[in-house]
PDB file of all heavy atoms in Angstrom:
ATOM      1  N   GLU X   1     -13.439   2.115 -22.603  1.00  0.00           N
ATOM      2  CA  GLU X   1     -14.794   2.355 -23.129  1.00  0.00           C
ATOM      3  C   GLU X   1     -14.917   3.875 -23.442  1.00  0.00           C
ATOM      4  O   GLU X   1     -15.485   4.170 -24.511  1.00  0.00           O
ATOM      5  CB  GLU X   1     -15.815   2.002 -22.079  1.00  0.00           C
ATOM      6  CG  GLU X   1     -17.286   2.427 -22.356  1.00  0.00           C
ATOM      7  CD  GLU X   1     -17.872   1.685 -23.500  1.00  0.00           C
ATOM      8  OE1 GLU X   1     -17.420   0.585 -23.815  1.00  0.00           O
ATOM      9  OE2 GLU X   1     -18.858   2.194 -24.031  1.00  0.00           O
ATOM     10  N   ALA X   2     -14.414   4.678 -22.584  1.00  0.00           N
ATOM     11  CA  ALA X   2     -14.568   6.175 -22.820  1.00  0.00           C
ATOM     12  C   ALA X   2     -13.757   6.539 -24.127  1.00  0.00           C
ATOM     13  O   ALA X   2     -14.340   7.185 -25.061  1.00  0.00           O
ATOM     14  CB  ALA X   2     -14.000   6.945 -21.681  1.00  0.00           C
ATOM     15  N   ALA X   3     -12.523   6.159 -24.177  1.00  0.00           N
ATOM     16  CA  ALA X   3     -11.696   6.547 -25.305  1.00  0.00           C
ATOM     17  C   ALA X   3     -12.260   5.946 -26.618  1.00  0.00           C
ATOM     18  O   ALA X   3     -12.248   6.620 -27.623  1.00  0.00           O
ATOM     19  CB  ALA X   3     -10.262   6.014 -25.143  1.00  0.00           C
ATOM     20  N   GLY X   4     -12.771   4.722 -26.563  1.00  0.00           N
ATOM     21  CA  GLY X   4     -13.367   4.100 -27.736  1.00  0.00           C
ATOM     22  C   GLY X   4     -14.666   4.779 -28.189  1.00  0.00           C
ATOM     23  O   GLY X   4     -15.091   4.614 -29.339  1.00  0.00           O
ATOM     24  N   SER X   5     -15.272   5.565 -27.249  1.00  0.00           N
ATOM     25  CA  SER X   5     -16.528   6.271 -27.567  1.00  0.00           C
ATOM     26  C   SER X   5     -16.213   7.695 -27.903  1.00  0.00           C
ATOM     27  O   SER X   5     -17.214   8.505 -28.050  1.00  0.00           O
ATOM     28  CB  SER X   5     -17.479   6.165 -26.356  1.00  0.00           C
ATOM     29  OG  SER X   5     -17.842   4.823 -26.024  1.00  0.00           O
ATOM     30  N   GLY X   6     -15.007   8.053 -28.073  1.00  0.00           N
ATOM     31  CA  GLY X   6     -14.663   9.445 -28.388  1.00  0.00           C
ATOM     32  C   GLY X   6     -14.657  10.399 -27.224  1.00  0.00           C
ATOM     33  O   GLY X   6     -14.721  11.640 -27.435  1.00  0.00           O
ATOM     34  N   VAL X   7     -14.620   9.836 -25.982  1.00  0.00           N
ATOM     35  CA  VAL X   7     -14.677  10.667 -24.806  1.00  0.00           C
ATOM     36  C   VAL X   7     -13.256  10.788 -24.224  1.00  0.00           C
ATOM     37  O   VAL X   7     -12.605   9.759 -24.133  1.00  0.00           O
ATOM     38  CB  VAL X   7     -15.634  10.109 -23.733  1.00  0.00           C
ATOM     39  CG1 VAL X   7     -15.542  10.831 -22.434  1.00  0.00           C
ATOM     40  CG2 VAL X   7     -17.070  10.066 -24.274  1.00  0.00           C
ATOM     41  N   ILE X   8     -12.776  11.923 -23.874  1.00  0.00           N
ATOM     42  CA  ILE X   8     -11.452  12.163 -23.324  1.00  0.00           C
ATOM     43  C   ILE X   8     -11.459  11.585 -21.899  1.00  0.00           C
ATOM     44  O   ILE X   8     -12.237  11.992 -21.076  1.00  0.00           O
ATOM     45  CB  ILE X   8     -11.145  13.656 -23.273  1.00  0.00           C
ATOM     46  CG1 ILE X   8     -11.188  14.253 -24.691  1.00  0.00           C
ATOM     47  CG2 ILE X   8      -9.775  13.883 -22.633  1.00  0.00           C
ATOM     48  CD1 ILE X   8     -11.505  15.722 -24.695  1.00  0.00           C
ATOM     49  N   ALA X   9     -10.555  10.632 -21.649  1.00  0.00           N
ATOM     50  CA  ALA X   9     -10.395  10.109 -20.289  1.00  0.00           C
ATOM     51  C   ALA X   9      -9.319  10.918 -19.567  1.00  0.00           C
ATOM     52  O   ALA X   9      -8.188  11.113 -20.123  1.00  0.00           O
ATOM     53  CB  ALA X   9      -9.995   8.625 -20.374  1.00  0.00           C
ATOM     54  N   ALA X  10      -9.626  11.476 -18.406  1.00  0.00           N
ATOM     55  CA  ALA X  10      -8.737  12.313 -17.669  1.00  0.00           C
ATOM     56  C   ALA X  10      -8.497  11.656 -16.294  1.00  0.00           C
ATOM     57  O   ALA X  10      -9.424  11.229 -15.654  1.00  0.00           O
ATOM     58  CB  ALA X  10      -9.315  13.705 -17.498  1.00  0.00           C
ATOM     59  N   LEU X  11      -7.221  11.584 -15.937  1.00  0.00           N
ATOM     60  CA  LEU X  11      -6.901  10.989 -14.647  1.00  0.00           C
ATOM     61  C   LEU X  11      -6.860  12.057 -13.568  1.00  0.00           C
ATOM     62  O   LEU X  11      -6.205  13.055 -13.743  1.00  0.00           O
ATOM     63  CB  LEU X  11      -5.554  10.267 -14.729  1.00  0.00           C
ATOM     64  CG  LEU X  11      -5.478   9.133 -15.805  1.00  0.00           C
ATOM     65  CD1 LEU X  11      -4.145   8.476 -15.745  1.00  0.00           C
ATOM     66  CD2 LEU X  11      -6.541   8.107 -15.554  1.00  0.00           C
ATOM     67  N   GLY X  12      -7.537  11.814 -12.448  1.00  0.00           N
ATOM     68  CA  GLY X  12      -7.510  12.784 -11.381  1.00  0.00           C
ATOM     69  C   GLY X  12      -8.382  12.316 -10.181  1.00  0.00           C
ATOM     70  O   GLY X  12      -9.021  11.281 -10.289  1.00  0.00           O
ATOM     71  N   HIS X  13      -8.377  13.135  -9.131  1.00  0.00           N
ATOM     72  CA  HIS X  13      -8.990  12.718  -7.876  1.00  0.00           C
ATOM     73  C   HIS X  13      -8.635  11.273  -7.590  1.00  0.00           C
ATOM     74  O   HIS X  13      -9.517  10.408  -7.426  1.00  0.00           O
ATOM     75  CB  HIS X  13     -10.518  12.902  -7.927  1.00  0.00           C
ATOM     76  CG  HIS X  13     -10.938  14.291  -7.819  1.00  0.00           C
ATOM     77  ND1 HIS X  13     -11.057  14.892  -6.567  1.00  0.00           N
ATOM     78  CD2 HIS X  13     -11.314  15.271  -8.728  1.00  0.00           C
ATOM     79  CE1 HIS X  13     -11.446  16.180  -6.717  1.00  0.00           C
ATOM     80  NE2 HIS X  13     -11.601  16.411  -7.985  1.00  0.00           N
ATOM     81  N   SER X  14      -7.311  11.029  -7.597  1.00  0.00           N
ATOM     82  CA  SER X  14      -6.770   9.706  -7.582  1.00  0.00           C
ATOM     83  C   SER X  14      -5.702   9.458  -6.576  1.00  0.00           C
ATOM     84  O   SER X  14      -4.901  10.421  -6.261  1.00  0.00           O
ATOM     85  CB  SER X  14      -6.186   9.440  -9.016  1.00  0.00           C
ATOM     86  OG  SER X  14      -5.419   8.224  -9.051  1.00  0.00           O
ATOM     87  N   ASP X  15      -5.650   8.277  -5.997  1.00  0.00           N
ATOM     88  CA  ASP X  15      -4.584   7.911  -5.084  1.00  0.00           C
ATOM     89  C   ASP X  15      -3.633   6.912  -5.712  1.00  0.00           C
ATOM     90  O   ASP X  15      -2.993   6.124  -4.996  1.00  0.00           O
ATOM     91  CB  ASP X  15      -5.235   7.304  -3.787  1.00  0.00           C
ATOM     92  CG  ASP X  15      -4.338   7.494  -2.573  1.00  0.00           C
ATOM     93  OD1 ASP X  15      -3.674   8.565  -2.451  1.00  0.00           O
ATOM     94  OD2 ASP X  15      -4.378   6.610  -1.670  1.00  0.00           O
ATOM     95  N   ALA X  16      -3.593   6.913  -7.045  1.00  0.00           N
ATOM     96  CA  ALA X  16      -2.855   5.930  -7.808  1.00  0.00           C
ATOM     97  C   ALA X  16      -1.348   5.989  -7.592  1.00  0.00           C
ATOM     98  O   ALA X  16      -0.811   7.043  -7.304  1.00  0.00           O
ATOM     99  CB  ALA X  16      -3.149   6.062  -9.287  1.00  0.00           C
ATOM    100  N   THR X  17      -0.690   4.907  -7.753  1.00  0.00           N
ATOM    101  CA  THR X  17       0.791   4.865  -7.846  1.00  0.00           C
ATOM    102  C   THR X  17       1.216   5.318  -9.184  1.00  0.00           C
ATOM    103  O   THR X  17       0.455   5.513 -10.138  1.00  0.00           O
ATOM    104  CB  THR X  17       1.316   3.424  -7.565  1.00  0.00           C
ATOM    105  OG1 THR X  17       0.866   2.586  -8.636  1.00  0.00           O
ATOM    106  CG2 THR X  17       0.807   2.836  -6.253  1.00  0.00           C
ATOM    107  N   TYR X  18       2.536   5.497  -9.253  1.00  0.00           N
ATOM    108  CA  TYR X  18       3.161   5.873 -10.570  1.00  0.00           C
ATOM    109  C   TYR X  18       2.785   4.801 -11.624  1.00  0.00           C
ATOM    110  O   TYR X  18       2.332   5.118 -12.798  1.00  0.00           O
ATOM    111  CB  TYR X  18       4.695   5.921 -10.409  1.00  0.00           C
ATOM    112  CG  TYR X  18       5.457   6.254 -11.664  1.00  0.00           C
ATOM    113  CD1 TYR X  18       5.659   7.527 -12.053  1.00  0.00           C
ATOM    114  CD2 TYR X  18       6.054   5.224 -12.381  1.00  0.00           C
ATOM    115  CE1 TYR X  18       6.394   7.809 -13.233  1.00  0.00           C
ATOM    116  CE2 TYR X  18       6.753   5.454 -13.553  1.00  0.00           C
ATOM    117  CZ  TYR X  18       6.931   6.757 -13.938  1.00  0.00           C
ATOM    118  OH  TYR X  18       7.705   7.037 -15.058  1.00  0.00           O
ATOM    119  N   GLU X  19       2.921   3.524 -11.265  1.00  0.00           N
ATOM    120  CA  GLU X  19       2.672   2.414 -12.203  1.00  0.00           C
ATOM    121  C   GLU X  19       1.182   2.359 -12.579  1.00  0.00           C
ATOM    122  O   GLU X  19       0.845   2.107 -13.775  1.00  0.00           O
ATOM    123  CB  GLU X  19       3.108   1.100 -11.601  1.00  0.00           C
ATOM    124  CG  GLU X  19       4.646   0.922 -11.472  1.00  0.00           C
ATOM    125  CD  GLU X  19       5.233   1.708 -10.243  1.00  0.00           C
ATOM    126  OE1 GLU X  19       4.418   2.171  -9.392  1.00  0.00           O
ATOM    127  OE2 GLU X  19       6.418   1.967 -10.229  1.00  0.00           O
ATOM    128  N   GLN X  20       0.279   2.575 -11.647  1.00  0.00           N
ATOM    129  CA  GLN X  20      -1.130   2.489 -11.943  1.00  0.00           C
ATOM    130  C   GLN X  20      -1.519   3.643 -12.873  1.00  0.00           C
ATOM    131  O   GLN X  20      -2.392   3.490 -13.748  1.00  0.00           O
ATOM    132  CB  GLN X  20      -1.959   2.549 -10.634  1.00  0.00           C
ATOM    133  CG  GLN X  20      -1.891   1.305  -9.780  1.00  0.00           C
ATOM    134  CD  GLN X  20      -2.496   1.476  -8.449  1.00  0.00           C
ATOM    135  OE1 GLN X  20      -2.403   2.554  -7.849  1.00  0.00           O
ATOM    136  NE2 GLN X  20      -3.114   0.432  -7.928  1.00  0.00           N
ATOM    137  N   THR X  21      -0.904   4.763 -12.695  1.00  0.00           N
ATOM    138  CA  THR X  21      -1.198   5.969 -13.514  1.00  0.00           C
ATOM    139  C   THR X  21      -0.764   5.667 -14.926  1.00  0.00           C
ATOM    140  O   THR X  21      -1.457   5.974 -15.890  1.00  0.00           O
ATOM    141  CB  THR X  21      -0.518   7.219 -12.972  1.00  0.00           C
ATOM    142  OG1 THR X  21      -0.938   7.461 -11.604  1.00  0.00           O
ATOM    143  CG2 THR X  21      -0.868   8.441 -13.828  1.00  0.00           C
ATOM    144  N   LEU X  22       0.432   5.120 -15.067  1.00  0.00           N
ATOM    145  CA  LEU X  22       0.921   4.809 -16.428  1.00  0.00           C
ATOM    146  C   LEU X  22       0.001   3.772 -17.114  1.00  0.00           C
ATOM    147  O   LEU X  22      -0.251   3.884 -18.330  1.00  0.00           O
ATOM    148  CB  LEU X  22       2.332   4.198 -16.402  1.00  0.00           C
ATOM    149  CG  LEU X  22       3.476   5.212 -16.056  1.00  0.00           C
ATOM    150  CD1 LEU X  22       4.843   4.470 -16.033  1.00  0.00           C
ATOM    151  CD2 LEU X  22       3.466   6.343 -17.090  1.00  0.00           C
ATOM    152  N   ALA X  23      -0.515   2.817 -16.318  1.00  0.00           N
ATOM    153  CA  ALA X  23      -1.485   1.892 -16.862  1.00  0.00           C
ATOM    154  C   ALA X  23      -2.757   2.581 -17.400  1.00  0.00           C
ATOM    155  O   ALA X  23      -3.287   2.210 -18.442  1.00  0.00           O
ATOM    156  CB  ALA X  23      -1.849   0.826 -15.828  1.00  0.00           C
ATOM    157  N   GLY X  24      -3.181   3.619 -16.690  1.00  0.00           N
ATOM    158  CA  GLY X  24      -4.343   4.398 -17.115  1.00  0.00           C
ATOM    159  C   GLY X  24      -4.014   5.155 -18.417  1.00  0.00           C
ATOM    160  O   GLY X  24      -4.926   5.213 -19.277  1.00  0.00           O
ATOM    161  N   ILE X  25      -2.845   5.655 -18.544  1.00  0.00           N
ATOM    162  CA  ILE X  25      -2.458   6.306 -19.771  1.00  0.00           C
ATOM    163  C   ILE X  25      -2.396   5.340 -20.929  1.00  0.00           C
ATOM    164  O   ILE X  25      -2.870   5.604 -22.047  1.00  0.00           O
ATOM    165  CB  ILE X  25      -1.090   7.089 -19.552  1.00  0.00           C
ATOM    166  CG1 ILE X  25      -1.188   8.160 -18.504  1.00  0.00           C
ATOM    167  CG2 ILE X  25      -0.593   7.678 -20.883  1.00  0.00           C
ATOM    168  CD1 ILE X  25       0.097   8.696 -17.986  1.00  0.00           C
ATOM    169  N   ASP X  26      -1.814   4.201 -20.661  1.00  0.00           N
ATOM    170  CA  ASP X  26      -1.750   3.143 -21.693  1.00  0.00           C
ATOM    171  C   ASP X  26      -3.127   2.704 -22.137  1.00  0.00           C
ATOM    172  O   ASP X  26      -3.294   2.297 -23.287  1.00  0.00           O
ATOM    173  CB  ASP X  26      -0.916   1.961 -21.192  1.00  0.00           C
ATOM    174  CG  ASP X  26       0.554   2.209 -21.103  1.00  0.00           C
ATOM    175  OD1 ASP X  26       1.062   3.128 -21.768  1.00  0.00           O
ATOM    176  OD2 ASP X  26       1.225   1.484 -20.309  1.00  0.00           O
ATOM    177  N   ALA X  27      -4.064   2.702 -21.217  1.00  0.00           N
ATOM    178  CA  ALA X  27      -5.464   2.354 -21.588  1.00  0.00           C
ATOM    179  C   ALA X  27      -6.161   3.407 -22.407  1.00  0.00           C
ATOM    180  O   ALA X  27      -7.225   3.139 -22.996  1.00  0.00           O
ATOM    181  CB  ALA X  27      -6.259   2.072 -20.281  1.00  0.00           C
ATOM    182  N   GLY X  28      -5.635   4.639 -22.468  1.00  0.00           N
ATOM    183  CA  GLY X  28      -6.194   5.616 -23.308  1.00  0.00           C
ATOM    184  C   GLY X  28      -6.405   7.008 -22.643  1.00  0.00           C
ATOM    185  O   GLY X  28      -6.874   7.913 -23.331  1.00  0.00           O
ATOM    186  N   ALA X  29      -6.029   7.167 -21.349  1.00  0.00           N
ATOM    187  CA  ALA X  29      -6.222   8.486 -20.719  1.00  0.00           C
ATOM    188  C   ALA X  29      -5.214   9.510 -21.335  1.00  0.00           C
ATOM    189  O   ALA X  29      -4.052   9.170 -21.593  1.00  0.00           O
ATOM    190  CB  ALA X  29      -6.025   8.381 -19.214  1.00  0.00           C
ATOM    191  N   SER X  30      -5.705  10.743 -21.494  1.00  0.00           N
ATOM    192  CA  SER X  30      -4.777  11.741 -22.213  1.00  0.00           C
ATOM    193  C   SER X  30      -4.807  13.074 -21.548  1.00  0.00           C
ATOM    194  O   SER X  30      -4.141  14.005 -22.059  1.00  0.00           O
ATOM    195  CB  SER X  30      -5.216  11.863 -23.634  1.00  0.00           C
ATOM    196  OG  SER X  30      -6.585  12.278 -23.742  1.00  0.00           O
ATOM    197  N   VAL X  31      -5.472  13.218 -20.391  1.00  0.00           N
ATOM    198  CA  VAL X  31      -5.537  14.531 -19.644  1.00  0.00           C
ATOM    199  C   VAL X  31      -5.324  14.239 -18.143  1.00  0.00           C
ATOM    200  O   VAL X  31      -5.724  13.225 -17.647  1.00  0.00           O
ATOM    201  CB  VAL X  31      -6.861  15.231 -19.915  1.00  0.00           C
ATOM    202  CG1 VAL X  31      -7.056  16.430 -18.984  1.00  0.00           C
ATOM    203  CG2 VAL X  31      -6.953  15.681 -21.335  1.00  0.00           C
ATOM    204  N   ALA X  32      -4.664  15.186 -17.522  1.00  0.00           N
ATOM    205  CA  ALA X  32      -4.521  15.183 -16.069  1.00  0.00           C
ATOM    206  C   ALA X  32      -5.512  16.238 -15.509  1.00  0.00           C
ATOM    207  O   ALA X  32      -5.321  17.424 -15.747  1.00  0.00           O
ATOM    208  CB  ALA X  32      -3.120  15.494 -15.595  1.00  0.00           C
ATOM    209  N   THR X  33      -6.525  15.807 -14.715  1.00  0.00           N
ATOM    210  CA  THR X  33      -7.463  16.731 -14.185  1.00  0.00           C
ATOM    211  C   THR X  33      -6.758  17.505 -12.967  1.00  0.00           C
ATOM    212  O   THR X  33      -6.238  16.952 -12.107  1.00  0.00           O
ATOM    213  CB  THR X  33      -8.685  15.970 -13.613  1.00  0.00           C
ATOM    214  OG1 THR X  33      -9.438  15.430 -14.633  1.00  0.00           O
ATOM    215  CG2 THR X  33      -9.593  16.942 -12.744  1.00  0.00           C
ATOM    216  N   HIS X  34      -6.788  18.847 -13.139  1.00  0.00           N
ATOM    217  CA  HIS X  34      -6.094  19.768 -12.240  1.00  0.00           C
ATOM    218  C   HIS X  34      -4.874  19.141 -11.565  1.00  0.00           C
ATOM    219  O   HIS X  34      -4.892  18.770 -10.393  1.00  0.00           O
ATOM    220  CB  HIS X  34      -7.026  20.480 -11.255  1.00  0.00           C
ATOM    221  CG  HIS X  34      -8.036  19.607 -10.514  1.00  0.00           C
ATOM    222  ND1 HIS X  34      -7.699  18.447  -9.834  1.00  0.00           N
ATOM    223  CD2 HIS X  34      -9.333  19.762 -10.391  1.00  0.00           C
ATOM    224  CE1 HIS X  34      -8.742  17.952  -9.335  1.00  0.00           C
ATOM    225  NE2 HIS X  34      -9.791  18.729  -9.585  1.00  0.00           N
ATOM    226  N   LEU X  35      -3.827  19.034 -12.386  1.00  0.00           N
ATOM    227  CA  LEU X  35      -2.537  18.444 -11.876  1.00  0.00           C
ATOM    228  C   LEU X  35      -2.156  19.030 -10.511  1.00  0.00           C
ATOM    229  O   LEU X  35      -2.354  20.163 -10.231  1.00  0.00           O
ATOM    230  CB  LEU X  35      -1.434  18.734 -12.884  1.00  0.00           C
ATOM    231  CG  LEU X  35      -0.128  18.068 -12.540  1.00  0.00           C
ATOM    232  CD1 LEU X  35      -0.184  16.577 -12.910  1.00  0.00           C
ATOM    233  CD2 LEU X  35       1.059  18.733 -13.270  1.00  0.00           C
ATOM    234  N   TYR X  36      -1.585  18.131  -9.640  1.00  0.00           N
ATOM    235  CA  TYR X  36      -1.202  18.367  -8.290  1.00  0.00           C
ATOM    236  C   TYR X  36      -2.385  18.278  -7.353  1.00  0.00           C
ATOM    237  O   TYR X  36      -2.206  17.735  -6.215  1.00  0.00           O
ATOM    238  CB  TYR X  36      -0.570  19.727  -8.101  1.00  0.00           C
ATOM    239  CG  TYR X  36       0.673  20.029  -8.875  1.00  0.00           C
ATOM    240  CD1 TYR X  36       0.714  21.113  -9.765  1.00  0.00           C
ATOM    241  CD2 TYR X  36       1.812  19.264  -8.750  1.00  0.00           C
ATOM    242  CE1 TYR X  36       1.860  21.432 -10.475  1.00  0.00           C
ATOM    243  CE2 TYR X  36       2.997  19.578  -9.499  1.00  0.00           C
ATOM    244  CZ  TYR X  36       3.000  20.646 -10.330  1.00  0.00           C
ATOM    245  OH  TYR X  36       4.119  20.952 -11.035  1.00  0.00           O
ATOM    246  N   ASN X  37      -3.547  18.830  -7.662  1.00  0.00           N
ATOM    247  CA  ASN X  37      -4.627  18.873  -6.718  1.00  0.00           C
ATOM    248  C   ASN X  37      -5.372  17.555  -6.710  1.00  0.00           C
ATOM    249  O   ASN X  37      -5.651  16.997  -7.778  1.00  0.00           O
ATOM    250  CB  ASN X  37      -5.586  20.040  -7.041  1.00  0.00           C
ATOM    251  CG  ASN X  37      -4.950  21.381  -6.844  1.00  0.00           C
ATOM    252  OD1 ASN X  37      -4.721  22.101  -7.792  1.00  0.00           O
ATOM    253  ND2 ASN X  37      -4.527  21.735  -5.613  1.00  0.00           N
ATOM    254  N   ALA X  38      -5.744  17.083  -5.528  1.00  0.00           N
ATOM    255  CA  ALA X  38      -6.514  15.839  -5.355  1.00  0.00           C
ATOM    256  C   ALA X  38      -5.749  14.629  -5.815  1.00  0.00           C
ATOM    257  O   ALA X  38      -6.316  13.720  -6.507  1.00  0.00           O
ATOM    258  CB  ALA X  38      -7.898  15.874  -6.041  1.00  0.00           C
ATOM    259  N   MET X  39      -4.448  14.589  -5.573  1.00  0.00           N
ATOM    260  CA  MET X  39      -3.603  13.442  -5.845  1.00  0.00           C
ATOM    261  C   MET X  39      -2.385  13.456  -4.940  1.00  0.00           C
ATOM    262  O   MET X  39      -2.090  14.494  -4.419  1.00  0.00           O
ATOM    263  CB  MET X  39      -3.146  13.418  -7.342  1.00  0.00           C
ATOM    264  CG  MET X  39      -2.420  14.617  -7.847  1.00  0.00           C
ATOM    265  SD  MET X  39      -2.053  14.521  -9.591  1.00  0.00           S
ATOM    266  CE  MET X  39      -3.724  14.622 -10.353  1.00  0.00           C
ATOM    267  N   PRO X  40      -1.743  12.350  -4.739  1.00  0.00           N
ATOM    268  CA  PRO X  40      -0.552  12.314  -3.800  1.00  0.00           C
ATOM    269  C   PRO X  40       0.525  13.257  -4.325  1.00  0.00           C
ATOM    270  O   PRO X  40       0.767  13.425  -5.504  1.00  0.00           O
ATOM    271  CB  PRO X  40      -0.114  10.881  -3.858  1.00  0.00           C
ATOM    272  CG  PRO X  40      -1.262  10.129  -4.371  1.00  0.00           C
ATOM    273  CD  PRO X  40      -1.976  10.973  -5.274  1.00  0.00           C
ATOM    274  N   PRO X  41       1.251  13.928  -3.393  1.00  0.00           N
ATOM    275  CA  PRO X  41       2.298  14.829  -3.809  1.00  0.00           C
ATOM    276  C   PRO X  41       3.538  13.989  -4.356  1.00  0.00           C
ATOM    277  O   PRO X  41       3.645  12.862  -4.108  1.00  0.00           O
ATOM    278  CB  PRO X  41       2.723  15.538  -2.495  1.00  0.00           C
ATOM    279  CG  PRO X  41       2.312  14.600  -1.433  1.00  0.00           C
ATOM    280  CD  PRO X  41       1.073  13.915  -1.933  1.00  0.00           C
ATOM    281  N   LEU X  42       4.363  14.741  -5.031  1.00  0.00           N
ATOM    282  CA  LEU X  42       5.640  14.102  -5.502  1.00  0.00           C
ATOM    283  C   LEU X  42       6.457  13.664  -4.326  1.00  0.00           C
ATOM    284  O   LEU X  42       6.570  14.333  -3.287  1.00  0.00           O
ATOM    285  CB  LEU X  42       6.430  15.153  -6.265  1.00  0.00           C
ATOM    286  CG  LEU X  42       6.067  15.428  -7.734  1.00  0.00           C
ATOM    287  CD1 LEU X  42       6.785  16.719  -8.241  1.00  0.00           C
ATOM    288  CD2 LEU X  42       6.354  14.283  -8.614  1.00  0.00           C
ATOM    289  N   HIS X  43       7.030  12.476  -4.455  1.00  0.00           N
ATOM    290  CA  HIS X  43       7.945  11.904  -3.450  1.00  0.00           C
ATOM    291  C   HIS X  43       9.086  11.218  -4.157  1.00  0.00           C
ATOM    292  O   HIS X  43       8.882  10.568  -5.125  1.00  0.00           O
ATOM    293  CB  HIS X  43       7.185  10.931  -2.513  1.00  0.00           C
ATOM    294  CG  HIS X  43       7.981  10.481  -1.367  1.00  0.00           C
ATOM    295  ND1 HIS X  43       8.914   9.398  -1.449  1.00  0.00           N
ATOM    296  CD2 HIS X  43       7.963  10.890  -0.072  1.00  0.00           C
ATOM    297  CE1 HIS X  43       9.480   9.242  -0.269  1.00  0.00           C
ATOM    298  NE2 HIS X  43       8.966  10.114   0.600  1.00  0.00           N
ATOM    299  N   HIS X  44      10.318  11.357  -3.644  1.00  0.00           N
ATOM    300  CA  HIS X  44      11.460  10.891  -4.354  1.00  0.00           C
ATOM    301  C   HIS X  44      11.511   9.335  -4.423  1.00  0.00           C
ATOM    302  O   HIS X  44      12.238   8.831  -5.314  1.00  0.00           O
ATOM    303  CB  HIS X  44      12.778  11.408  -3.727  1.00  0.00           C
ATOM    304  CG  HIS X  44      12.922  11.144  -2.244  1.00  0.00           C
ATOM    305  ND1 HIS X  44      12.148  11.812  -1.313  1.00  0.00           N
ATOM    306  CD2 HIS X  44      13.765  10.335  -1.597  1.00  0.00           C
ATOM    307  CE1 HIS X  44      12.507  11.313  -0.134  1.00  0.00           C
ATOM    308  NE2 HIS X  44      13.454  10.464  -0.252  1.00  0.00           N
TER     309      HIS X  44
END
């Protein structure tokens, strides 16, 4: 809805998995809100 309305969707303040994040990008998200902060840290 946001992307279709010309609003930039940004992913952040999120506990998403890798796969859930990719799904958000596929849905139209194009920005990471303050990368690293307010999201799970990198894990191998």
